[in-house]
Amino acid sequence: MWQYIARRFTYMVFTVWIISLITFAVIQLPPGDYVTTIVSQMINSGMEDLPPDFEQQIREQYGLDQPMVVQYYKWLRNIIVDGKFGYSFVYRKDAKDIILERLPVSFAISGFSVLFIWAVALPIGIYSAVKQYSLADYLVTFIGFIGLAVPSFLFALVLMFFSYKYMDRAMIGLFSREYETAPWSLNKFLDLVKHLGIPVIIIGTAGTAGLIRTMRANLLDELNKPYVDTARSKGLSERALLWKYPVRHALNPFISTVGWILPSLIAGELIVSVVLNLPTSGPVIYNSLLTQDMYVAAGAILILSSMTVIGTFISDLLLAWLDPRVRLH
Amino acid sequence: MTEPLLEVSDLKIHFFTDEGVVKAVEGVDLVIERGKTLCLVGESGCGKSVASRAFMQIIRKPGKIVSGQMLFRRKSDDGTEEIIDLAKMDPKGYPIRQIRGKEISMIFQEPMTSLSLMHTVGHQITEMIRLHTDTTPTEAKVSAIKMLQRVGIPRPERLIDEYPFRLSGGMRQRVMIAMAMSCNPTMLIADEPTTALDVTTQAQILDLMLELQHDYGMALLFITHDLGVVAEIADDVAVMYLGRIVERGDADTVFNEPKHPYTQALLRSIPKIAMQRDELEPIKGMVPSPFRRPTGCQFHPRCAQRFNLCNQVEPANTHLNENHSVRCLLYEDAEARTSNAEAAAHG
């Protein structure tokens, strides 16, 4: 058991390191850097006669003239030793502050979305499998395919329209006006939870539909296994044996999905956040990539990826707890 | 003095699939005597497993009991003997669940997959004990350990906390047997319990089951296609072909004087140690598709002794004597026999 955890943990650290390498490399890939962006902005705004060594000066100032390996080393060292993620050229403050301002909201939305997806997909998937080919099963399958097929931004726009027209309230943003700039407090958190409903539903719909399919298919496989006959031949009631045996076996793949569900949620969150004007990290990452604000982009991507890896690690632990075969082999 | 425990008559089980109705069991008559062993013999797909599952009402979808009676004798709650018809019970209802495991229990073919790999051996046995008796978890554990010891498992107090995937096939089947016997049932159904095991383990498991039957006195319905096993354990034998019992009688009679051409062919197809011939004698032809059953006698396309009536007349059950009956036109009545002779003369 401990060996299993130690091995998984080593994989996790190694994976995060590889991610940091790739993240940094990818961000350097597009031609030019933040200085190029500034210079072209200055030229656009009419400042034609820049000093000839202007670009060079700024690059030296920010350390952008050094080779990539050195930049990477400094960046990683700062993160590990000082917990600093570098400097945001655009916002003119620590990249960490910008990321920390936005990421908790992203995690709140993703976390609630996962809970929402589980809470909805698990019972519906089970019901759909047990009552295979019933009217309810067909209905759930039909709605599920619609949920999978409709793009989340379209769903967001439609919900926005209806809320505006019939509820007289635009569902934009995540906070009521009085909390928008207020520091974090319990009341602000409760206000956030109140506003989370709609985005969580929009972000979670596709995942829910997918997971209902997964759960249904898994459970259908398990329902005809001989151990179910054994349980029935003991005299257990249908409901008791269903939850105790086949559902328990079908949960394995379900738990493994926690790992891959997070990145897809974060990708989906970006579009929905733009449409609904939510202060999450998605739009910030997007803008920082556009303006080549490299430290913000790299820091945010690194943290998000690490969280995904950690999510996978947690799902591995859950799996070991749930399934003795994983634990004991 | 024998006493019937379960009397099955005209049991029909059909599977309603999208491609059509599969008549898996098409009129089975059986009597299982208290404390005796009945072997149900037949090729794969003849309906023997389905029929045995019907006795516990655990037929899988889309199978359904469409007609028949399954009269089961049991002690009612007030201590008197009552006869109930298992065929009429709701498969999901409480009354049948009280009989399952407690009065009729079952051992399945695949010890590898019949136990849940996610629950400990002890958990799966005590669950059954606690379901049917009024015991505390500790008491249930004690009797589970006793039962495991009884089926020959070494150090049962340690094995009880083990997961089934860490046990060998033979050990798992012993666990299954311990589980099935843990509530001291009056009838035990064993659906090819030794098929998935290697030969030496097979022999051990068979010996164990006979021993348990001797000690506990339960009736044993043993389903198998292995005639060697039948010879070893059976009191009575029922031979099944395409959803019907074609011959039944006590083991000696069926082995020494088989009447039905199918039984005769089955017995001829077993290799013998002192065999003179070089080749085995398999039964010709294939088991027909359940969607296209032959007319008349179901066996006639493969039968060496068929005559002109066989593809038209469905044979009824003929009682040769008190303990021996057969479903074949050869034994039916004078008229059939005459036409049989005529057919032979023409051939």
Side-chain angles (χ1 to χ4, degrees), chain A residues 130-133 223-238 244-245 248-250 252 322-329, chain B residues 53 56 58 60-61 91-92 97 100-101 104 106 108 110 113-119 123-125 127-128 131-132 162-163 165-166 176 179:
Chain A
V130 173
K131 306 268 178 195
Q132 192 191 8
Y133 302 140
L223 282 178
N224 281 325
K225 292 272 173 76
Y227 66 81
V228 181
D229 288 332
T230 307
R232 193 168 285 132
S233 77
K234 285 177 176 180
L236 283 171
S237 72
E238 289 294 314
K244 189 160 178 188
Y245 293 103
R248 175 90 191 267
H249 284 248
N252 267 15
L322 184 79
D323 189 342
R325 283 170 296 182
V326 176
R327 195 169 21 175
L328 297 172
H329 269 298
Chain B
R53 277 159 192 256
M56 293 179 90
I58 53 167
R60 284 187 186 168
K61 277 192 248 180
K92 290 183 179 173
R97 279 194 271 124
R100 283 182 201 153
I104 306 178
M106 190 154 180
F108 296 88
E110 289 284 342
T113 49
S114 300
L115 290 163
S116 165
L117 300 184
M118 295 225 194
H119 301 84
H123 183 108
Q124 295 183 61
I125 300 179
E127 174 186 58
M128 172 123 146
L131 200 61
H132 295 298
E162 202 56 90
Y163 288 94
F165 61 87
R166 311 242 275 193
M176 273 303 286
M179 191 159 82

Side-chain angles (χ1 to χ4, degrees), chain A residues 205-240:
Chain A
T205 301
T208 308
L211 216 51
I212 289 176
R213 304 300 304 159
T214 314
M215 188 64 204
R216 180 179 181 272
N218 288 343
L219 193 57
L220 280 178
D221 277 351
E222 297 296 333
L223 282 178
N224 281 325
K225 292 272 173 76
Y227 66 81
V228 181
D229 288 332
T230 307
R232 193 168 285 132
S233 77
K234 285 177 176 180
L236 283 171
S237 72
E238 289 294 314
R239 182 181 293 256

